Amino acid sequence: MTIATFPPEPTPEQGWGRYFGFCTDAKVIGIQYIVTAFFFFLIGGLLAMVIRGELITPASDLVDRAVYNGIYTMHGTIMLFLFIFPVLNGLNNLLIPTMIGAPDMAFPRLNAVAFWLVPIFGFLLMASFFVPGGPAYSGWWSYPPVSIQNPVGHLINGQGMWITAVALSGVSSIMGAINFVTTILRMRAPGMTLFRMPVFCWTALAAQSLQLIGLPALTGGAIMLLMDLTFGTSFYRPEGGGDPVLYQHFFWFYSHPAVYVIILPVFGIFSELFPVYSRKPLFGYVYVALASFIIVGLGLIVWVHHMFPSGVAQWMRNLFMVTTMLIAVPTGVKVFAWLGTLWGGKLRLTTPMLFCLGGLFNFVFAGITGIMLATVPVDIHVSNTYFVVGHFHYVIYGAAVMGIFAAIYHWFPKFIGRMPYEGLGKLHFLLTFIGANLNFLPMHPLGLTGMPRRVSSYDPEFTFWNVVASLGAFLLGVSIIPFLLNMLSAWIRGPKATHNPWNAIGLEWLLPSPPPEDNFGEEVPTVISRPYGYGSGQPLVEHQDEIERRLALQEAAA
Amino acid sequence: MTTTTLQQPGAPAEHEEHPKHNLTGFIIFLCSESVIFLAFFSGYALLKTSALNWLPNGVEGLEWRMPLINTIVLVSSSGTIALAEHFKNRENMALFRGFWLMSMAMGAYFLYGQAVEWSGLQFGFTSGTFGGTFYLLTGFHGLHVATGILLMGLMLIKSFIPGNYKGGEQGVQATSLFWHFVDVIWIILFLLIYVWQ
């Protein structure tokens, strides 16, 4: 491929307007996703503050018990369907096309429709706070028979709106997944074979394949739930011959893999960032890449471990205990590879690197409690206690959200064109790391000693750890302030970023910051080696020196 | 729906669909869609095998002769649509349109037969898990048949645009794939509901 006119003319400033409209540019959609996700993150976080405020004393004294049920249900639903999934799809939109050298996603219009469904179902979910009877109150999993009660008797009720919103979220995610998979399979740069693809793309491919396989099962199950709730069928109604456990199968067949949909891209982020900030190639690249797909395969056959106390047969419990524990093997391969990457490296403790290290630390801890939970006798003992809540939040906040923050700090200069501030970033890291551990660690002793989840009052003997957890939660609440300050001020008046401020290797770092609208356009460089060639001196693409020289010239001229 | 209205003059307008990827995307969609049916099928099997009284009171079982004729018509339409596609590739547009229309008619006949069957049934949507799953499965499949007919109608209209199908236009291929998909789902559904009683 020639690079006659490289780098392309920078796209003229297009103003803020396009972020509020139907735009088909993946880089705009990516930012739309991320900003929308953080808007809902604040709402979900506020609900978490109310929950922890209620739990700081043993008595139920802050909110009504019925309101409390609605609050924890909506906290979980918002954080998963309106924060984590959209923010990851935002990163996918920004990173996949630039990392593989594609001008855009395969289906730009579908991409925009998938995004705009998010505010629509987000609005639907928020509106459910204001209907008679309040929002859904059956927990984020909406198990029947609780979720098929309609005591108010209105056709429009919180639970029905919840199911509709989740189904719409599924439609949006499927549209996204079709787009991401097609883009990765069909639009890679010349010379970029699958085994020259950055690990983030591998993990995105794995995660999106899981969406495609798992999500329709949940959608099917949710359709039946909505019919039971609204039209009086009895798929899950025992008095009509139905089976409530059937819903649990549908729900967990997707919702367990959903955890891998969340954590796999974060594995990808770790695999991208550790080499950059330790100046070494990723240890065992091929195994890290392939382990993602072993996780996909195993991840689809572990779901019954959420149902050990639900009256499933003993042989099923044994089988799913074994498959669940096997997941530790490919995951362990990855953790080993990251440690191998860090070993003897020249570590640069920038904000993104700190978030990665903190996330890895929390993830290993969550993995250990995960193995405990996979063990049938332990699981039945701690089922529905705070031990499960603690484990889950270590995975999602401790590992996934910290990984997402790392990604935002790392790629912010690339896509915004300005540098975030290191001091505020490090303060954000410190508050997040301490806050998360202070918040979620006490949940483990609480659960082991028998404190049930989803209660607004508890035995006074649990007070001490609950106070500690609540203080941690408030610290997490505060931690978001330096983050928002950093993002806003950096976006408005941060120092201009060069094309490669972290000295990283990757196609996205061979583009100007921010990249022009169609990235490389027609002049996609030919990839000639594997990613992460740190210290090898081997170029990633043909004409690499010339490309970098011209980018530097363009920057000097600006 | 247009994007160009949002773009400033001078900005490149590169973000149109990439037709060569449409088929890939569509196949991925079909794979994903089949999981919904898989979920319904396994739900049906699980509820049926664990039921104490599967059939509602007064219902003896399902009449299978009419549905069998329906099945034969629908499965044959997979053949006619393949023929249509074959003639499209040979650029014989008259025969393409003939067989294409025939497949549409066979699909419509199937839907008609389904409607006749539904109207003669003794049980409703809320008659226990049998009624619920029966109408859910046949209804959801019927929705796909209707979608298929609509897609075929769209492709038929597009065939009158001169030269539209010469440049490797993939709408026909995707529609035909969708129709085969709908047929295969029906065969499984027929075995599950009418044969396994």
Side-chain angles (χ1 to χ4, degrees), chain A residues 22 24 104 106-107 109 174 178 181-182 186-187 212-213 216 220 224 227 231-235 242 250 517-518, chain B residues 3 6-7 12 14-15 17-18 20-22 24-25 28-29 32 35-36 39-40 46 125-126 128-129 132-133 136:
Chain A
F22 189 91
T24 53
D104 200 335
F107 311 112
R109 213 173 310 147
I174 288 286
I178 291 171
V181 171
T182 311
R186 298 294 301 271
M187 295 174 70
L212 290 167
I213 302 168
M224 288 155 85
M227 286 179 167
F231 304 117
T233 54
S234 47
F235 298 116
F250 287 143
E517 196 178 328
D518 55 352
Chain B
T3 58
L6 296 166
Q7 284 169 346
E14 281 291 324
H15 299 277
E17 308 288 325
H18 302 261
K20 63 178 192 256
H21 304 312
N22 287 353
T24 314
I28 293 170
F29 165 74
S32 187
V35 181
I36 294 198
F40 288 155
L46 207 96
F125 195 44
T126 52
T129 43
T133 46
L136 180 72

Side-chain angles (χ1 to χ4, degrees), chain A residues 297-316:
Chain A
L298 284 173
L300 285 166
I301 46 168
V302 299
W303 79 93
V304 175
H305 68 221
H306 291 271
M307 300 161 59
F308 285 158
S310 300
V312 293
Q314 186 61 39
W315 67 266
M316 269 176 108

Side-chain angles (χ1 to χ4, degrees), chain A residues 213-234:
Chain A
I213 302 168
L215 200 43
L218 175 68
T219 310
I223 292 172
M224 288 155 85
L225 193 68
L226 191 63
M227 286 179 167
D228 273 9
L229 177 73
T230 314
F231 304 117
T233 54
S234 47

Side-chain angles (χ1 to χ4, degrees), chain A residues 98-128:
Chain A
T98 47
M99 279 182 163
I100 64 172
D104 200 335
M105 300 292 290
F107 311 112
R109 213 173 310 147
L110 190 71
N111 199 13
V113 173
F115 164 71
W116 279 104
L117 279 175
V118 176
I120 290 173
F121 74 77
F123 176 79
L124 187 67
L125 215 51
M126 294 304 117
S128 77

Side-chain angles (χ1 to χ4, degrees), chain A residues 427-503:
Chain A
L427 177 66
H428 175 211
F429 164 75
L430 214 61
L431 291 173
T432 309
F433 188 71
I434 295 171
N437 280 289
L438 213 54
N439 188 352
F440 306 128
L441 193 65
M443 292 179 175
H444 295 85
L446 282 174
L448 287 173
T449 48
M451 182 176 162
R453 69 199 282 199
R454 297 176 176 170
V455 290
S456 61
S457 58
Y458 51 85
D459 193 295
E461 69 166 305
F462 299 128
T463 312
F464 173 72
W465 286 121
N466 269 301
V467 171
V468 176
S470 289
L471 292 179
F474 300 146
L475 206 57
L476 276 186
V478 172
S479 78
I480 206 70
I481 297 171
F483 171 71
L484 292 180
L485 263 179
N486 198 352
M487 292 296 114
L488 282 177
S489 56
W491 199 335
I492 295 165
R493 55 181 186 89
K496 289 264 185 203
T498 60
H499 70 279
N500 192 359
W502 312 116
N503 219 350

Side-chain angles (χ1 to χ4, degrees), chain A residues 80-96:
Chain A
L80 286 168
F81 294 103
L82 284 163
F83 170 62
I84 285 272
F85 287 128
V87 82
L88 287 172
N89 273 353
L91 289 176
N92 283 340
N93 262 296
L94 294 177
L95 296 177
I96 290 171

